[in-house]
Amino acid sequence: MIRSCRKKVVSALCALALAAGTAVTVSPGANATPIYPSKVKDPYFQVPKSKYQNLTHGKLIKSRSMKLPQFPRTMAEQMVFASTNSHGEKIFSTALLLRQAHSYALPNVPTLVYNHFINSLGTECQPTFSLTTPINQFNNVESLTTAAEITAGLNAALTMGWNILLPDFEGMQGAYGANILAGHIILDAVTALVTTPKFNSRHSKVILGGYSGGAMTTVIAAAMAPKYAPIPHFVGAAAGGTPADMEWMGKALGNRPNPGFGILAGTMIGLEREYPDRMNIYDRMRPEWKKRMRNGLKDSCVSTMVASFSGQSMRTVFNNVDVYKQHREFKVVRENSPLYYPLNPKMPLYFYHGNQDIAVPVAKLKQLAHRYCKAGTHVTLATMDLSEHLLVGFVGLPGALAWAQSRFAGLPAPNDFCEGREYNILPLGQLKPSTKKIERATTALSLHRLSPQRVSLHGWGGKHTAPRPTLVLFSQQLLFS
């Protein structure tokens, strides 16, 4: 019985790794030598330090407009802006704005900031580069997979009349797992948007959103926004399947060989890129793994990264490293975990989560939500019975989008969780056969489109209905979630 339970926990954590990214690290050295991704070939993104070192973070450096055939009703704007890394040092970063045609004449169109769970080592795996780079300019053509994952979902969301901002929150060095850096980049992208007259968005209402790995960056960005980005008009943040405690996840997975180890290895490499003085990763890899990194893994997107390290562990990739002895490194992990990040959001929050998600326990999220309640944040929590980490991602999405619509409409934000109420998306007694089809679709790693439906919403002082938008699944990832 104990062995069976242990297998289920390990299996669930491995599945979660494909969506969230778990951070585990090895002992530091005095002079770590990170392995960085290849530089983007487009000279437009080769910005000298003199162009941003004296700028305020959130200041637009340059932008260019382009028409993307996959988004026929919008104009795309590539943005380059000043930001700061985790240590307060000036950097530049990038984002892609998908802009409604009417936004040129009609000011202050609502903006949804979608934080995709990138989970990759290659800079080009991020949305701006994946969606706009000519195929002959990629360092790794696998970077096109990100565009394939998100295009259909973005088009569905654009029909709601919002502008959509896609920050490349891993930065130009592919610092996967560095959520403080990610928060800075997300907020600076929004600040650049609203302070640049060209975009006609000075007083736009802004909502942050993301699922799983993207939820972590969303929550940390929401928490740091009042101090770091006071100019934008944030009206809320929606986060699904939020891994609140990355330290717990890393230690729970431990040293066991598992199919999701590529996500762990990727997180370690990404964090070393951002914290080279506190972590020593690449130098402690076995020679054969160093070679594989040099030969292309340093630029890999999530599929290749996971496949390459599948079945490995800390002991097989590194020199018999024991994760439980890496106390200093877990301080870096804690710093980048929502549960231990010290600031609290002022904007209202909408969380949705699976009650049976043993890889990302809802208890950890509730611990975080209770802290936010004590700080005065309005919190709504929608949970789902019989749901692991992936299923709630799209069953819970209609409620999140309806909540976002209400915030854009200026309705008062509910405070259900802080007032002792939880909204159950699908109670045990309401399960329908169609739910099994949804679960099979998730497991089969197929691309599916669900017909528009109506979804009942509770917890706003009565019962309401709202349209359920088109949803898309691809490779166990909820598009636009």
Side-chain angles (χ1 to χ4, degrees), residues 132-395:
T132 66
T133 302
I135 193 169
N136 63 338
Q137 291 186 19
F138 278 113
N139 289 303
N140 177 10
V141 75
E142 183 196 8
S143 302
L144 284 168
T145 59
T146 300
E149 291 167 1
I150 64 178
T151 295
L154 292 176
N155 271 311
L158 286 166
T159 63
M160 306 183 83
W162 306 334
N163 287 343
I164 298 177
L165 184 63
L166 304 165
D168 304 311
F169 57 75
E170 288 187 5
M172 298 303 292
Q173 294 185 332
Y176 173 33
N179 292 324
I180 293 175
L181 168 72
H184 290 171
I185 291 174
I186 291 166
L187 296 176
D188 286 328
V190 179
T191 300
L193 170 67
V194 303
T195 58
T196 302
K198 171 183 177 179
F199 301 132
N200 211 16
S201 299
R202 180 61 182 86
H203 301 290
S204 291
K205 294 178 180 179
V206 180
I207 288 179
L208 306 175
Y211 189 81
S212 194
M216 290 189 296
T217 64
T218 294
V219 171
I220 286 184
M224 63 173 60
K227 289 187 177 181
Y228 188 85
I231 296 176
H233 181 25
F234 294 106
V235 296
T242 307
D245 188 350
M246 295 298 288
E247 181 184 33
W248 177 89
M249 290 167 57
K251 291 181 177 179
L253 191 61
N255 297 311
R256 290 174 172 272
N258 66 83
F261 185 74
I263 292 292
L264 310 184
T267 304
M268 292 186 284
I269 295 161
L271 282 170
E272 184 186 38
R273 291 169 173 177
E274 183 69 0
Y275 297 90
D277 58 333
R278 299 174 62 185
M279 305 179 70
N280 187 358
I281 307 303
Y282 177 68
D283 285 347
R284 299 187 67 189
M285 280 183 155
R286 294 181 184 272
E288 62 270 26
W289 286 104
K290 285 186 178 181
K291 182 177 180 180
R292 295 183 72 176
M293 288 296 300
R294 293 193 301 269
N295 290 343
L297 272 179
K298 67 178 182 178
D299 294 317
S300 60
C301 297
V302 63
S303 297
T304 294
M305 191 174 68
V306 170
S308 299
F309 287 99
S310 180
Q312 301 298 321
S313 69
M314 297 292 292
R315 298 186 186 280
T316 62
V317 173
F318 301 95
N319 294 313
N320 292 317
V321 169
D322 184 347
V323 298
Y324 299 110
K325 297 179 180 179
Q326 315 311 311
H327 304 298
R328 287 186 58 188
E329 291 74 16
F330 274 109
K331 290 182 180 179
V332 176
V333 178
R334 286 174 68 95
E335 290 171 14
N336 287 277
S337 296
L339 186 60
Y340 305 109
Y341 187 74
L343 301 180
N344 300 303
K346 291 186 178 179
M347 67 184 77
L349 300 178
Y350 181 91
F351 289 118
Y352 54 109
H353 210 97
N355 281 328
Q356 279 70 46
D357 189 342
I358 60 175
V360 183
V362 70
K364 293 287 185 179
L365 177 63
K366 288 182 179 180
Q367 183 180 348
L368 178 65
H370 279 302
R371 192 189 92 197
Y372 289 164
C373 289
K374 291 179 181 179
T377 306
H378 281 213
V379 179
T380 293
L381 171 62
T383 57
M384 178 179 170
D385 291 336
L386 293 184
S387 175
E388 35 57 73
H389 188 68
L390 299 176
L391 180 60
V392 71
F394 76 96
V395 177

Side-chain angles (χ1 to χ4, degrees), residues 23-234:
V24 185
T25 49
V26 295
S27 295
N31 297 295
T33 308
I35 183 166
Y36 293 101
S38 301
K39 291 185 177 180
V40 175
K41 294 179 181 179
D42 188 343
Y44 189 78
F45 297 107
Q46 296 171 10
V47 183
K49 191 173 183 179
S50 60
K51 295 292 186 180
Y52 58 84
Q53 63 180 352
N54 295 321
L55 295 180
T56 303
H57 64 83
K59 178 70 174 178
L60 187 75
I61 300 171
K62 57 183 176 178
S63 67
R64 61 182 178 183
S65 304
M66 59 179 59
K67 195 70 177 176
L68 298 177
Q70 60 267 53
F71 304 108
R73 296 180 180 85
T74 63
M75 180 63 73
E77 304 271 5
Q78 286 183 324
M79 301 167 57
V80 179
F81 51 90
S83 188
T84 56
N85 63 15
S86 303
H87 320 293
E89 301 164 343
K90 288 289 177 60
I91 60 172
F92 76 91
S93 195
T94 58
L96 184 69
L97 174 66
L98 299 178
R99 187 174 181 181
Q100 300 283 346
H102 62 261
S103 69
Y104 291 87
L106 182 65
N108 304 319
V109 171
T111 300
L112 178 65
V113 182
Y114 172 49
N115 302 309
H116 185 53
F117 33 96
I118 300 162
N119 297 359
S120 301
L121 291 174
T123 303
E124 294 171 348
C125 304
Q126 300 181 94
T128 291
F129 308 103
S130 181
L131 288 165
T132 66
T133 302
I135 193 169
N136 63 338
Q137 291 186 19
F138 278 113
N139 289 303
N140 177 10
V141 75
E142 183 196 8
S143 302
L144 284 168
T145 59
T146 300
E149 291 167 1
I150 64 178
T151 295
L154 292 176
N155 271 311
L158 286 166
T159 63
M160 306 183 83
W162 306 334
N163 287 343
I164 298 177
L165 184 63
L166 304 165
D168 304 311
F169 57 75
E170 288 187 5
M172 298 303 292
Q173 294 185 332
Y176 173 33
N179 292 324
I180 293 175
L181 168 72
H184 290 171
I185 291 174
I186 291 166
L187 296 176
D188 286 328
V190 179
T191 300
L193 170 67
V194 303
T195 58
T196 302
K198 171 183 177 179
F199 301 132
N200 211 16
S201 299
R202 180 61 182 86
H203 301 290
S204 291
K205 294 178 180 179
V206 180
I207 288 179
L208 306 175
Y211 189 81
S212 194
M216 290 189 296
T217 64
T218 294
V219 171
I220 286 184
M224 63 173 60
K227 289 187 177 181
Y228 188 85
I231 296 176
H233 181 25
F234 294 106

